[in-house]
Amino acid sequence: MSNRLVETRTVRTAGAPRPRRTLLINLALLGVVLAVGIALPYLGASSFAISLTSTILIAGTLASSVNFLAGQGGMVSLGHAGIAAASAYGAAWASRQGMDTGMQVLVALAVTLVVSFVYGLLSMRTSGIYFLMVTLAVGMLVYGLAFRLSSVTGGENGISGVERPAWMESYWVFYYFVLAVFVVLTAALWIVGNSPFGASLRGVRDSESRMRSLGYSVASYKLGAFMISGSVAGLAGLLAVWHTHFVSPSSAGVDRSVHLIVMVILGGVGTLLGPIIGAAVVVLVENVLSSYVDRWPTVLGLIFILVILFARAGIAGSARKLINRIRRRRSRSEAGDGGSPPGHPSVSERSTTNE
């Protein structure tokens, strides 16, 4: 009995996930994205391709904020487009008042924090479908204010002519800046997700009642998560208005928030690079395929259905599962080749039984 117990512990330790290996893999993935992004302008990409890639990176940054809430806290938001739009309107209003770049950034961040706090305050004591509906309602409120406060927002005409900093006027300089922001924010969200705060947030996601019984303030953790996620969304909105030089109420529309959720699900909820993969699919369909196919939303819907049916963990999540499955089969075959005494299970069989 004691020998079997020791053997079981050894097998479980050997087969357990290694945080160091996971860290190295995630760093390698971010490194690959950074290397490909840096090399893109040198590979003969046109200015349109660089601009489109900037759009994908900005959308991926905004989708990462939704992915953080959904993956770590189990909170699916239908109002993040409103947070990004509020930040964009803050920067655009400051630009129209003749303020410099620093003041534009400060106004945008201030508006982002206020709106994110309102979102979090109204939704921190809800969960599930009720959280979804509260964020949807607040998002629609931002959308309505963008129309009604025409003296500030320009009404349905929006605000145009928003200038980005002079040193980012060149499209390729702005592209590199967006790439750097995406990599830094993605890494920051991953670090927060793997911190004690992230572990507590996952505990709230799995069982709020148990976390309350352990003395955790569930509402505070939800509010903190929303503030972190909203801050990333606000930065994405600032980059978006610098990219397009324009903001209108459509930026806060419900369809924009729905597209963000589609991006997250397509890429894989809770994965590191899922948001950028989903953003690439949605942006390319919306901006490239739409030039050839009038019913591009139907194509996007079909892609979404196929992913839900055949890759429920999303593109990145299903790819990770496939790699892990291949690795397990390879380790089992190698263990089987080594042989074991007749009548005794192999190491891989014991590991499977113990799991």
Side-chain angles (χ1 to χ4, degrees):
M1 178 66 70
S2 61
N3 292 337
R4 184 176 181 181
L5 181 60
V6 172
E7 182 181 47
T8 301
R9 288 178 178 175
T10 304
V11 172
R12 292 175 73 89
T13 302
R18 300 179 179 179
R20 182 177 178 82
R21 178 184 298 175
T22 303
L23 173 63
L24 293 176
I25 291 175
N26 286 327
L27 288 177
L29 290 174
L30 278 179
V32 169
V33 172
L34 184 60
V36 173
I38 292 175
L40 187 61
Y42 296 96
L43 298 177
S46 63
S47 59
F48 172 75
I50 298 298
S51 178
L52 188 63
T53 307
S54 298
T55 303
I56 293 173
L57 290 171
I58 294 171
T61 303
L62 185 52
S64 295
S65 65
V66 179
N67 182 60
F68 174 78
L69 270 185
Q72 300 295 328
M75 298 176 285
V76 181
S77 171
L78 257 180
H80 262 55
I83 300 177
S87 174
Y89 269 115
W93 177 85
S95 175
R96 193 165 67 172
Q97 301 302 314
M99 299 182 185
D100 57 12
T101 302
M103 288 302 300
Q104 292 180 30
V105 174
L106 289 177
V107 172
L109 291 180
V111 173
T112 297
L113 292 177
V114 171
V115 175
S116 299
F117 183 76
V118 172
Y119 268 77
L121 195 64
L122 293 176
S123 61
M124 65 182 184
R125 300 191 182 279
T126 61
S127 60
I129 188 65
Y130 301 104
F131 181 90
L132 188 76
M133 297 306 295
V134 168
T135 55
L136 172 62
V138 182
M140 294 179 66
L141 177 62
V142 174
Y143 177 75
L145 289 175
F147 270 106
R148 298 289 296 178
L149 299 178
S150 57
S151 59
V152 177
T153 64
E156 60 180 304
N157 295 322
I159 302 176
S160 59
V162 182
E163 297 295 332
R164 56 179 177 244
W167 61 274
M168 284 194 294
E169 279 302 318
S170 178
Y171 72 92
W172 62 271
V173 174
F174 179 71
Y175 162 74
Y176 279 133
F177 180 76
V178 171
L179 175 64
V181 170
F182 169 77
V183 172
V184 170
L185 290 180
T186 300
L189 288 176
W190 185 83
I191 291 173
V192 172
N194 287 273
S195 67
F197 176 82
S200 301
L201 195 59
R202 289 191 296 274
V204 172
R205 176 196 64 189
D206 296 336
S207 178
E208 290 189 16
S209 59
R210 180 172 297 179
M211 293 299 287
R212 287 194 184 94
S213 66
L214 292 174
Y216 288 87
S217 177
V218 172
S220 299
Y221 274 97
K222 286 186 175 183
L223 179 60
F226 215 111
M227 293 299 294
I228 294 172
S229 176
S231 298
V232 175
L235 290 174
L238 178 62
L239 294 176
V241 75
W242 279 351
H243 182 46
T244 60
H245 307 287
F246 174 74
V247 60
S248 67
S250 62
S251 302
V254 177
D255 58 328
R256 296 291 183 183
S257 295
V258 172
H259 280 177
L260 293 176
I261 295 179
V262 171
M263 292 175 190
V264 172
I265 295 177
L266 285 179
V269 179
T271 58
L272 180 69
L273 297 181
I276 191 64
I277 294 174
V281 173
V282 174
V283 171
L284 289 176
V285 170
E286 186 176 3
N287 293 273
V288 178
L289 187 63
S290 60
S291 301
Y292 306 95
V293 179
D294 292 334
R295 297 185 179 275
W296 63 267
T298 303
V299 177
L300 182 60
L302 290 175
I303 295 174
F304 184 73
I305 292 173
L306 290 175
V307 170
I308 292 297
L309 291 177
F310 301 104
R312 294 185 178 180
I315 298 173
S318 298
R320 182 177 60 186
K321 285 186 175 181
L322 180 61
I323 293 173
N324 291 335
R325 187 178 304 170
I326 294 174
R327 185 180 301 167
R328 285 196 298 268
R329 288 181 179 178
R330 184 179 300 173
S331 62
R332 289 174 183 175
S333 62
E334 291 175 355
D337 292 340
S340 56
H344 292 272
S346 63
V347 175
S348 62
E349 291 173 346
R350 289 196 298 269
S351 176
T352 304
T353 303
N354 291 329
E355 292 177 355

